[in-house]
Amino acid sequence: MKVLSVAALMAMLANTVFASTECEVCVKVIEEVKASMPKADARKKPLIEKALGDFCANEGLSSREKKICYYIDPIKRDVAQPFSLGMTPLKVCQRINKSNPEICTVKFPIKTEKLEKKDLSKLRVKQLKQILGQRGVECKGCVEKSEFIKKVQDTEHLANDEF
């Protein structure tokens, strides 16, 4: 019985860790829209659609937030429905991800400024490949982790927030 409860607890923790990185940009956008609205208006679909439009019209958005707005704009009504029912931002994003699977593919870049080699060595090879992919660089012929670390350090000047 104890083994089963420990296994269930581990599964819940793993799901929570996965959920924290799933749809991260979409969740941030939905949370900010929700925070910008009075609580009474959060149940009214037309006001939710207007709040989404106002948020997306903001000039100070990052490129990734603009991309989410680009995906959300045509389906504002589909976003407003679960939003008005009081679903959590993650659940709203998972629901709209069914109609547009690209929504949850938008991720924030992995911060690499001021990382030393010892910090990069703590990352997994998969994460190092993601960093290189965000920079538009392939590491052809890289086999060892140290080769990926060297390539990440060599392409540090390519790290920025723009596409």
Side-chain angles (χ1 to χ4, degrees), residues 27-87:
V27 169
K28 181 180 182 280
V29 167
I30 298 295
E31 284 174 346
E32 289 183 13
V33 169
K34 195 174 210 173
S36 71
M37 297 179 65
K39 194 164 186 143
D41 292 349
R43 300 274 184 212
K44 300 174 183 160
K45 293 177 198 171
L47 295 176
I48 294 169
E49 292 176 28
K50 183 180 180 321
L52 282 167
D54 293 344
F55 177 82
C56 290
N58 186 358
E59 291 294 322
L61 297 178
S62 72
S63 59
R64 284 160 174 80
E65 291 169 332
K66 288 178 187 175
K67 192 169 193 175
I68 289 294
C69 286
Y70 174 79
Y71 290 144
I72 286 178
D73 191 47
I75 56 171
K76 282 183 190 174
R77 290 227 165 118
D78 295 337
V79 176
Q81 172 61 30
F83 192 103
S84 68
L85 296 174
M87 286 188 173

Side-chain angles (χ1 to χ4, degrees), residues 22 49 56 59 64 73 84 86 102 104 109 112 119 146 156:
E22 181 186 14
E49 292 176 28
C56 290
E59 291 294 322
R64 284 160 174 80
D73 191 47
S84 68
E102 295 174 335
C104 286
T112 58
D119 296 329
S146 59
E156 186 67 40

Side-chain angles (χ1 to χ4, degrees), residues 30-156:
I30 298 295
E31 284 174 346
E32 289 183 13
V33 169
K34 195 174 210 173
S36 71
M37 297 179 65
K39 194 164 186 143
D41 292 349
R43 300 274 184 212
K44 300 174 183 160
K45 293 177 198 171
L47 295 176
I48 294 169
E49 292 176 28
K50 183 180 180 321
L52 282 167
D54 293 344
F55 177 82
C56 290
N58 186 358
E59 291 294 322
L61 297 178
S62 72
S63 59
R64 284 160 174 80
E65 291 169 332
K66 288 178 187 175
K67 192 169 193 175
I68 289 294
C69 286
Y70 174 79
Y71 290 144
I72 286 178
D73 191 47
I75 56 171
K76 282 183 190 174
R77 290 227 165 118
D78 295 337
V79 176
Q81 172 61 30
F83 192 103
S84 68
L85 296 174
M87 286 188 173
T88 64
L90 178 61
K91 290 287 186 188
V92 171
C93 291
Q94 288 172 340
R95 166 104 30 116
I96 61 176
N97 189 48
K98 292 176 185 173
S99 64
N100 187 351
E102 295 174 335
I103 288 176
C104 286
T105 61
V106 180
K107 306 272 187 206
F108 285 117
I110 299 170
K111 300 291 183 196
T112 58
E113 303 92 38
K114 300 177 184 172
L115 280 181
E116 296 178 17
K117 185 172 180 174
K118 64 179 181 178
D119 296 329
L120 289 173
S121 65
K122 294 178 184 176
L123 296 176
R124 294 177 178 259
V125 172
K126 182 178 181 179
Q127 293 169 315
L128 294 170
K129 286 181 181 180
Q130 285 176 339
I131 292 169
L132 292 172
Q134 289 172 354
R135 296 177 182 174
V137 176
E138 286 185 40
C139 193
K140 293 185 178 179
C142 295
V143 179
E144 297 293 324
K145 185 176 183 176
S146 59
E147 294 169 334
F148 284 101
I149 292 171
K150 182 172 179 356
K151 191 72 165 182
V152 167
Q153 290 174 328
D154 292 345
T155 60
E156 186 67 40

